[in-house]
Amino acid sequence: MVPHHATRREVLSLSGAALASLAGCTTRTSNREQSPSPTASEPDYPHRVDTPDTVTVRNPDGEPAADSSDHSPEEDMFESSPHWAYEDWLVTAPGEREALNFSQAHTGVEAARDFIAATDLSETTLLVHQYNIGPCETRQLSRLEWGTEFSCGDIECTGIALGYDLTERDGDCNETGSDGPPYRAGSYASEATFVRIPAQLESYGRFRVQV
């Protein structure tokens, strides 16, 4: 199992001393090291769904599987400038749903379109989480958590956490292991996971991923 890594949103909310300690590296904490009680590095998410409603689109060519004309990407800790490769955003209204676009080289798009169209945005929020991944690997979302009483600087904000299982893809694949993230050029695919959150969320300030 790949341990938890801090995401861009979490890093930006850390203190100056903590940011200095993270400079140039990815913060990783093994499951055994994580405290069972809520701490600054292990927030308590009061809402949890195991095996949430989700669908994944994949682009084996490595270009981002999805983007949106209604959303601008931000810089991730694996990127040197804003890009769609590692991006997460919410879809909360019909116009935002219609703004979603998919890449030309892809798998799972028709299932994703049906899933997105069937999502009731009057009761549910759609989260899009996009990431690069090894060519012989795929992720299966196994846990969704969220809470609305987190501290983001001087304001209260919403936090979202995703737990994935990393598995080998079916079919012929000769790659052995992964070299990222970040990955070498030409050594990865792109996946975009669409997740139904059974609550109406307008925004969020914390985002955690565990694989």
Side-chain angles (χ1 to χ4, degrees), residues 3-23:
H4 162 77
H5 65 267
T7 66
R8 165 179 42 80
R9 294 175 189 269
E10 288 187 293
V11 170
L12 291 178
S13 69
L14 294 175
S15 67
L19 282 172
S21 69
L22 288 176

Side-chain angles (χ1 to χ4, degrees), residues 134-205:
C136 296
E137 300 171 329
T138 189
R139 293 185 186 181
Q140 299 293 327
L141 189 64
S142 58
R143 186 181 74 256
L144 161 68
E145 296 176 284
W146 75 98
T148 58
E149 298 180 354
F150 290 98
S151 175
C152 293
D154 296 329
I155 63 173
E156 190 174 273
C157 66
T158 296
I160 299 173
L162 302 180
Y164 285 97
D165 293 328
L166 186 67
T167 61
E168 293 185 2
R169 296 186 67 234
D170 294 333
D172 295 333
C173 192
N174 297 321
E175 294 286 336
T176 57
S178 296
D179 65 351
Y183 295 89
R184 291 176 291 105
S187 69
Y188 58 85
S190 171
E191 289 187 345
T193 295
F194 296 80
V195 190
R196 287 177 183 153
I197 303 175
Q200 289 187 292
L201 306 179
E202 294 298 325
S203 63
Y204 58 107

Side-chain angles (χ1 to χ4, degrees), residues 18 29 42 46 52 60 67 84 96 101 110 143 152 166 174 181 184:
T29 307
E42 183 65 17
D67 62 31
W84 289 101
E96 296 172 1
N101 303 302
E110 290 307 313
R143 186 181 74 256
C152 293
L166 186 67
N174 297 321
R184 291 176 291 105

Side-chain angles (χ1 to χ4, degrees), residues 119-141:
T119 300
D120 184 356
L121 295 177
S122 67
E123 298 181 353
T124 302
T125 303
L126 191 65
L127 170 68
V128 187
H129 177 218
Q130 183 154 257
Y131 46 88
N132 289 340
I133 191 167
C136 296
E137 300 171 329
T138 189
R139 293 185 186 181
Q140 299 293 327
L141 189 64

Side-chain angles (χ1 to χ4, degrees), residues 77-93:
M77 65 187 308
F78 297 129
E79 300 166 340
S80 58
S81 62
H83 195 267
W84 289 101
Y86 294 92
E87 189 62 21
D88 49 271
W89 71 97
L90 297 180
V91 175
T92 63

